[in-house]
Amino acid sequence: MHPRRFYTLSGSCPDQVGIIARVSGFIAQHSGWILESSYHADDGSGDNDSRYFMRMEVKADSLPFHLAEFRERFRPLAEELAMDWKISDSAVRRRVVIMVSKQEHCLYDLLSRWQSRELDIEIPCVISNHDTFKAFVEWHGIPFHCVPVSADNRLAANAEIRRIYEEVRADTMVLARYMQILPADLCDSYPGQIINIHHSFLPSFVGARPYHQAYQRGVKLIGATCHYVTRDLDQGPIIEQDVIRIDHSDSVEDMVRYGKDIEKAVLARGLRYHLEDRVLVHANKTVIFR
C-alpha cells in the first residue's frame, strides 16, 4: 500500500473492447493520478460469460472532488459498461467485528496484528458464544460481548449478533474459529462482508476431529481456506488458501499445531486482501489482485 492517501476503484463487467481506455480516460479527464492498476479478462469458459475484472489505485489529492462526487460522475460510465463496482478511501479504516468460540490462535494473531498496526483497522468489539476470552479482549481495550448459543435460543442469539453488528456500524465480520453456523438470513444480509477460516480437509474430513481423520488416512498435505460466508455451508467464494507438507513422522498433535499456524496466516492474508479491495467476486468465482 502507498503511504499517501488514495482511492481504490474496483469492479467487473462484461468483457468488451475499450474498458481500460474509458475508465482510465475518465480518471485522466479529471487530472487523476493512477498509482497502481490490475486487470484480468475471464475467457468465459464453462457456464460463465466472458467478464473483465479491474482494480485501480488513484492518488486522492490528484482529483478535484471527493468520493461522493466521484461516484456521481462515474455512475453513468459504469452503467454504460454494466459494471458492478465500488470505490473506497484508504484514509477510512474498516470496522471489523471478530467472532470466536474457544480456540484462541486466530483471535490472538489478529489482535497482535491490529496492535502493531499491520492490520490498520478498527475493532469495535469481539463477539463470542463463550466468555473464555473476555478478560484477554478487554485487556486490549476492546468491548467483549458474550452471546451464548443453544438449540433453545438460537434465533434470539443470532438476532443479538445482528443487533450488535449494526449498532457498532461494522462493515466486516471475521469468524476467527467461531464454531456456530450462521443462519441463512444473516448471511444474505451481509454478502461479501463475512469472512471465515477453516481447515481445507473439508469436505473430505468433516466433523469435529478432522486432523485425527487425516492422520488415520495418512495425508501428506494439510492446509487452510479463507472464504466468504454464504447460506451454503463452506461453499462461499474462496479468498485465500495455503498448504504445508507433512509425513509419517508427524503426530496428530504436530498436525494440529501446523494447522493452527497455517490457519492464522491464511486468515490474515485473506482479510488483508478483502480490506484492500483486492478480491472481486462474480457468480461465486473470485479474482484476487495480490
Side-chain angles (χ1 to χ4, degrees):
M1 294 178 62
H2 307 286
R4 300 185 66 178
R5 181 183 180 186
F6 60 91
Y7 299 144
T8 301
L9 173 65
S10 60
S12 70
C13 61
D15 200 2
Q16 58 189 282
V17 174
I19 298 171
I20 297 175
R22 297 189 67 182
V23 174
S24 60
F26 169 87
I27 294 171
Q29 177 186 346
H30 297 94
S31 303
W33 185 335
I34 297 175
L35 298 167
E36 178 182 311
S37 59
S38 303
Y39 312 100
H40 172 70
D42 187 88
D43 62 7
S45 59
D47 297 330
N48 297 324
D49 294 330
S50 181
R51 195 161 184 89
Y52 201 78
F53 299 83
M54 55 161 284
R55 178 184 183 276
M56 291 182 176
E57 293 181 1
V58 182
K59 189 188 296 185
D61 60 11
S62 69
L63 293 168
F65 41 69
H66 296 296
L67 279 191
E69 187 171 347
F70 184 102
R71 292 187 178 100
E72 288 302 314
R73 289 173 179 259
F74 186 73
R75 185 171 291 112
L77 174 57
E79 290 175 352
E80 288 181 30
L81 296 173
M83 179 181 289
D84 296 326
W85 65 284
K86 62 180 178 179
I87 186 166
S88 60
D89 186 344
S90 66
V92 178
R93 291 193 182 100
R94 303 291 181 90
R95 296 177 62 80
V96 179
V97 167
I98 299 175
M99 299 186 63
V100 64
S101 289
K102 286 188 173 182
Q103 297 186 42
E104 75 288 344
H105 56 290
C106 288
L107 171 68
Y108 284 15
D109 184 71
L110 291 176
L111 293 189
S112 174
R113 294 174 191 268
W114 164 77
Q115 196 166 42
S116 67
R117 299 295 291 273
E118 179 183 336
L119 283 175
D120 193 18
I121 59 176
E122 293 184 19
I123 304 177
C125 69
V126 171
I127 303 174
S128 178
N129 54 324
H130 302 280
D131 61 6
T132 309
F133 304 117
K134 177 179 172 62
F136 176 77
V137 170
E138 292 181 343
W139 180 83
H140 285 79
I142 299 172
F144 181 90
H145 299 277
C146 182
V147 183
V149 181
S150 67
D152 296 331
N153 79 334
R154 194 172 301 276
L155 288 176
N158 287 319
E160 177 64 4
I161 291 170
R162 180 192 291 272
R163 185 196 67 77
I164 295 170
Y165 187 75
E166 293 287 345
E167 184 177 82
V168 300
R169 307 184 316 281
D171 50 54
T172 302
M173 182 186 298
V174 176
L175 309 186
R177 301 300 288 165
Y178 179 70
M179 306 305 289
Q180 295 290 325
I181 298 174
L182 298 183
D185 66 308
L186 190 63
C187 298
D188 294 344
S189 296
Y190 308 112
Q193 293 187 37
I194 308 176
I195 295 174
N196 189 30
I197 185 70
H198 68 65
H199 51 82
S200 54
F201 298 130
L202 292 174
S204 298
F205 300 108
V206 300
R209 293 164 65 86
Y211 293 105
H212 293 75
Q213 298 176 58
Y215 177 80
Q216 293 297 328
R217 292 287 296 276
V219 301
K220 299 300 182 281
L221 290 172
I222 61 173
T225 299
C226 178
H227 68 94
Y228 288 116
V229 175
T230 65
R231 62 167 47 222
D232 300 315
L233 182 63
D234 292 331
Q235 300 297 313
I238 293 172
I239 305 171
E240 177 66 343
Q241 292 179 301
D242 206 349
V243 296
I244 55 175
R245 182 168 292 279
I246 61 171
D247 61 31
H248 60 277
S249 66
D250 290 305
S251 66
V252 172
E253 290 74 21
D254 290 330
M255 292 170 64
V256 171
R257 177 163 49 86
Y258 301 154
K260 287 182 176 181
D261 285 343
I262 202 165
E263 285 172 10
K264 291 186 293 186
V266 170
L267 179 58
R269 286 203 302 271
L271 177 57
R272 180 168 58 83
Y273 295 155
H274 167 79
L275 296 173
E276 295 178 2
D277 293 321
R278 297 183 180 275
V279 186
L280 278 70
V281 181
H282 179 73
N284 217 39
K285 176 179 179 179
T286 51
V287 171
I288 313 294
F289 292 124
R290 292 183 172 84

